[in-house]
Amino acid sequence: FINCVGGASDKVARMIGDDSFYIKPRLGDYLLLNRNQGHLTRHTIFPCPDPVLGKGVLVQTTLWGNLILGPTARDTNNDEARDMSPASIQEYILSKCKKLCPYFDPKETFHAFCGARSKSSRGDWIIEPSQKDGNFIHVAGIDSPGLAGSPAIALEVVKLLADAGLQMPKNNSFNPNRAPIITPKAGMKGLKMGPVGKNDSDGIDEEKMASNVICKCEKVTELEVVRALHRSLPIDSTQAIRKRTRAGMGHCQAEPDNYNCECRVTAIIARENNVSVDEVGIRPWPATSTLSQRWIDDNEKADLEKRMMAD
């Protein structure tokens, strides 16, 4: 058994009487700005690291050209940090990032989100057999840079499983290479945009699906959504498609009066899964962690500007 359930790994360990560690979730908040701010840095800008809270609040450009600010480091066992208000979180991020990159425009913020790092009481990753049962392998407390370390972690876990006596015959039919979901675009060459129904396919004509843009901001096509739906993991929500294709992740955040891409994606999921649109999960509201609504107004933009100027 591999115990790799993140923030709940200590609870799973206790199911076999193992209380050798506990998880101390550390919340990390980010603000995401439009692509017109991404040119302000070509590098990840770090402050001097904090001896307790780690690398600090960063300014960096995403792979897709946005400017991203964060994260915070709010330990949930610290009441004051855990219970910070959205305004306080924004002020903390913006004021610190201003010292690293003074020229960004906080009014270009269009999304905010928060995740929980799985910090452990041991202060390090826990990759080992449980002392209670050698067949129970812990992969716990994997905080940053766990994503970068995941290939090496996987190899170590395979070794631990072999040491525990697990027979792992080689699967000669296994293909380690996965076909891509996203097709790189050369501007708008070969792509078509239009009102719902104008360019939609019948779900069979791949050439037509490949040209039909269903998310204008990210240039996601109908074919890319269909490819994602037919992978091995079942998909029944627009959020799952969003994470695989970026449909709905752009500047307009799936605004109905713009291109209404969430409804377009919903219809494709329903068609491919042979269900009604009512059975498809959609993005929750307001779908952002510290902003008051998905599409912020001028008053909230002005508030962000004031918070940036805080000392």
Side-chain angles (χ1 to χ4, degrees):
F1 185 90
I2 302 173
N3 175 19
C4 56
V5 294
S9 55
D10 54 348
K11 297 180 177 64
V12 171
R14 279 157 183 63
M15 292 179 180
I16 64 165
D18 187 337
D19 59 359
S20 61
F21 67 93
Y22 61 91
I23 297 299
K24 307 183 296 180
R26 175 174 287 175
L27 303 177
D29 304 270
Y30 286 91
L31 296 175
L32 187 64
L33 279 63
N34 282 313
R35 288 175 176 164
N36 61 10
Q37 302 295 296
H39 70 282
L40 294 173
T41 177
R42 284 184 284 179
H43 305 279
T44 300
I45 306 177
F46 288 81
C48 291
D50 184 278
V52 176
L53 300 179
K55 61 189 177 184
V57 181
L58 318 180
V59 176
Q60 54 192 318
T61 302
T62 70
L63 289 172
W64 300 274
N66 299 87
L67 194 70
I68 189 168
L69 314 176
T72 58
R74 298 189 293 122
D75 289 326
T76 55
N77 59 345
N78 180 323
D79 293 348
E80 183 179 358
R82 182 193 61 219
D83 298 333
M84 285 177 69
S85 68
S88 297
I89 293 168
Q90 292 169 0
E91 181 178 306
Y92 183 86
I93 294 173
L94 292 168
S95 61
K96 285 189 174 295
C97 290
K98 178 188 67 173
K99 298 175 182 177
L100 301 175
C101 181
Y103 310 113
F104 69 85
D105 184 355
K107 299 192 299 297
E108 293 294 331
T109 302
F110 71 95
H111 194 26
F113 46 92
C114 178
R117 308 170 183 87
S118 181
K119 302 290 290 186
S120 82
S121 56
R122 297 193 197 173
D124 203 352
W125 298 353
I126 302 168
I127 308 170
E128 64 188 28
S130 169
Q131 295 178 358
K132 297 292 184 179
D133 187 334
N135 294 322
F136 194 98
I137 309 298
H138 292 309
V139 186
I142 311 294
D143 56 353
S144 180
L147 183 61
S150 57
I153 293 172
L155 292 175
E156 177 64 15
V157 171
V158 169
K159 178 179 178 299
L160 293 173
L161 291 170
D163 291 345
L166 180 65
Q167 298 298 312
M168 294 178 285
K170 185 176 180 180
N171 181 358
N172 293 318
S173 65
F174 174 71
N175 181 3
N177 302 309
R178 300 183 66 190
I181 292 175
I182 302 298
T183 301
K185 315 295 192 304
M188 284 299 298
K189 184 178 180 180
L191 302 179
K192 296 179 181 179
M193 295 183 185
V196 174
K198 181 178 180 180
N199 301 310
D200 292 351
S201 79
D202 54 6
I204 299 174
D205 187 339
E206 288 199 3
E207 185 175 348
K208 190 169 186 179
M209 287 193 283
S211 67
N212 180 28
V213 173
I214 53 86
C215 174
K216 182 171 67 174
C217 296
E218 299 297 320
K219 297 179 184 175
V220 180
T221 66
E222 181 181 355
L223 181 60
E224 290 166 336
V225 173
V226 171
R227 283 176 183 162
L229 283 163
H230 290 289
R231 290 293 173 94
S232 56
L233 291 176
I235 295 175
D236 61 1
S237 72
T238 60
Q239 281 291 78
I241 288 293
R242 189 169 179 263
K243 293 172 182 176
R244 289 162 173 80
T245 67
R246 292 187 58 79
M249 280 192 175
H251 166 73
C252 86
Q253 292 290 287
E255 185 176 9
D257 292 336
N258 188 343
Y259 204 66
N260 203 10
C261 63
E262 186 165 23
C263 286
R264 294 172 186 246
V265 172
T266 301
I268 296 170
I269 295 173
R271 181 191 74 201
E272 297 296 314
N273 289 348
N274 196 27
V275 298
S276 73
V277 293
D278 294 333
E279 296 178 64
V280 178
I282 60 174
R283 190 177 176 188
W285 294 83
T288 181
S289 58
T290 61
L291 302 175
S292 67
Q293 51 194 325
R294 192 188 292 192
W295 302 287
I296 61 175
D297 57 25
D298 290 341
N299 290 332
E300 192 158 359
K301 291 179 181 179
D303 287 339
L304 289 168
E305 192 168 33
K306 292 175 185 176
R307 288 164 191 156
M308 178 181 175
M309 304 311 295
D311 293 329

